[in-house]
Amino acid sequence: MKLKFTKMHGAGNDFVVIDAINQQINLSSAQWRLIADRRFGIGADQILVVERSSKPDVDFRYVIYNNDGGEVEQCGNGSRAFVQFVLEKGLTTKSSIRVETMSGIIEPHMEEDGSITVNMGAPILEAAQVPFQADELIPMHQADDSLWPLEINGKTVWISAVSMGNPHAVQVVASVDDFPIPVDGPLIENHPRFPRRVNAGFMQVLERKHIRLRVHERGAGETLACGTGACAAVVTGIRRGLLDSPVRVSMRGGELSVAWEGEGKPVFLSGPAVTVFEGEINLTETA
């Protein structure tokens, strides 16, 4: 099977984007893993599949696979790559589109300067809906659900549980350079209180409108950038009174901007999307 693809990235978070409108796609988990493999395949943090939506008021359907072959609900940086891709390929002429994801509808918009802003929807803050098992836990402050204790590796860390269509556990650290993210990230990702696993974010507050962030992504490991992770971190910082919107988010692969006006309001994520190259890969049936 020959499969055409486009390699893209958003602030270093890299993707293989596949047009499933003009070619037939029916791949196994092993084949998705092969595509994402950096030695035997193309290499990517996530694979993005572009489909037509069956809903009358929605332009496209957006399917996301992590590099472990599993399908996931949402990818903020990928959503910007998505709109760049459909415009470059002539699949739409609209600068604003509505896109169906596993977790709901998102609305990416191409700005005049070439950057892309995505309405990511309102964050989910109710622990059970993240989902996070907060039963039997006592938050840092009574009647405050913004900080929860989590036991990992014989110590207690305080996290904020937020969903941006996918689950995030965000903690504030003194320095993202010195914190043991390679150790703590996988432990938080697979913590039993997160029944669907979780993306682990580590936020360093520089100023009220500027943070540094590293994210260990569920099913992908640490990535150079994470759009939904940036959104979750900014929501966490604003709720805790540490940040003011909009916030510049500096990640290892580049910078994003996140704006949020408060509970019940949507989060807006802005940043670049870059096409790197196009190609074709041969896939066996068994991969």
Side-chain angles (χ1 to χ4, degrees):
M1 178 195 303
K2 289 186 176 181
L3 189 66
K4 294 180 179 179
F5 68 89
T6 300
K7 182 68 182 287
M8 305 185 74
H9 79 86
N13 189 189
D14 65 333
F15 315 105
V16 170
V17 188
I18 297 173
D19 178 355
I21 297 173
N22 295 306
Q23 58 184 340
Q24 188 172 358
I25 308 296
N26 184 21
L27 304 183
S28 66
S29 293
Q31 289 172 316
W32 292 125
R33 288 194 299 272
L34 175 62
I35 290 171
D37 192 286
R38 298 188 184 279
R39 292 180 176 84
F40 298 101
I42 303 163
D45 293 323
Q46 283 89 20
I47 303 164
L48 316 179
V49 181
V50 181
E51 300 178 353
R52 289 288 184 196
S53 175
S54 60
K55 298 182 179 180
D57 61 339
V58 178
D59 299 289
F60 297 98
R61 183 169 177 262
Y62 170 29
V63 184
I64 309 154
Y65 295 93
N66 272 342
N67 59 22
D68 64 355
E71 186 178 354
V72 292
E73 306 94 336
Q74 189 57 277
C75 176
N77 286 327
S79 64
R80 299 197 315 279
F82 188 102
V83 70
Q84 181 82 18
F85 178 87
V86 296
L87 284 166
E88 287 182 351
K89 293 298 183 182
L91 298 174
T92 186
T93 57
K94 299 178 182 179
S95 59
S96 294
I97 58 174
R98 286 171 54 80
V99 182
E100 175 189 358
T101 73
M102 184 191 293
S103 63
I105 304 298
I106 59 171
E107 299 181 12
H109 173 75
M110 175 71 76
E111 305 289 354
E112 290 186 3
D113 64 0
S115 65
I116 298 167
T117 299
V118 186
N119 180 340
M120 299 294 294
I124 296 170
L125 305 173
E126 176 64 37
Q129 295 179 34
V130 170
F132 171 60
Q133 295 175 350
D135 53 299
E136 299 179 1
L137 294 181
I138 300 175
M140 178 168 281
H141 304 291
Q142 290 294 334
D144 178 6
D145 63 353
S146 64
L147 276 175
W148 296 98
L150 202 66
E151 297 294 327
I152 61 163
N153 207 21
K155 63 183 179 182
T156 300
V157 298
W158 291 90
I159 61 96
S160 297
V162 180
S163 173
M164 290 302 311
N166 56 352
H168 290 267
V170 182
Q171 63 178 298
V172 175
V173 300
S175 169
V176 292
D177 293 325
D178 300 331
F179 202 80
I181 293 170
V183 175
D184 285 15
L187 294 175
I188 295 172
E189 175 194 356
N190 295 289
H191 197 283
R193 288 200 175 272
F194 290 96
R196 296 180 188 168
R197 296 186 295 160
V198 72
N199 301 287
F202 303 86
M203 172 173 62
Q204 177 184 349
V205 178
L206 302 178
E207 300 172 355
R208 293 194 66 84
K209 288 182 172 288
H210 188 195
I211 65 172
R212 294 182 66 197
L213 180 70
R214 289 171 63 182
V215 180
H216 173 95
E217 291 199 48
R218 175 185 58 166
E222 186 179 357
T223 55
L224 293 181
C226 176
T228 56
C231 294
V234 170
V235 166
T236 293
I238 291 174
R239 293 189 77 215
R240 292 185 58 185
L242 303 174
L243 301 175
D244 298 317
S245 177
V247 178
R248 179 159 59 108
V249 182
S250 297
M251 309 186 81
R252 293 196 303 159
E255 294 200 339
L256 304 173
S257 177
V258 178
W260 186 53
E261 294 182 357
E263 294 194 27
K265 301 291 186 180
V267 180
F268 290 90
L269 171 68
S270 300
V274 179
T275 298
V276 183
F277 63 88
E278 296 185 341
E280 191 173 78
I281 185 172
N282 284 317
L283 292 174
T284 64
E285 289 187 2
T286 58

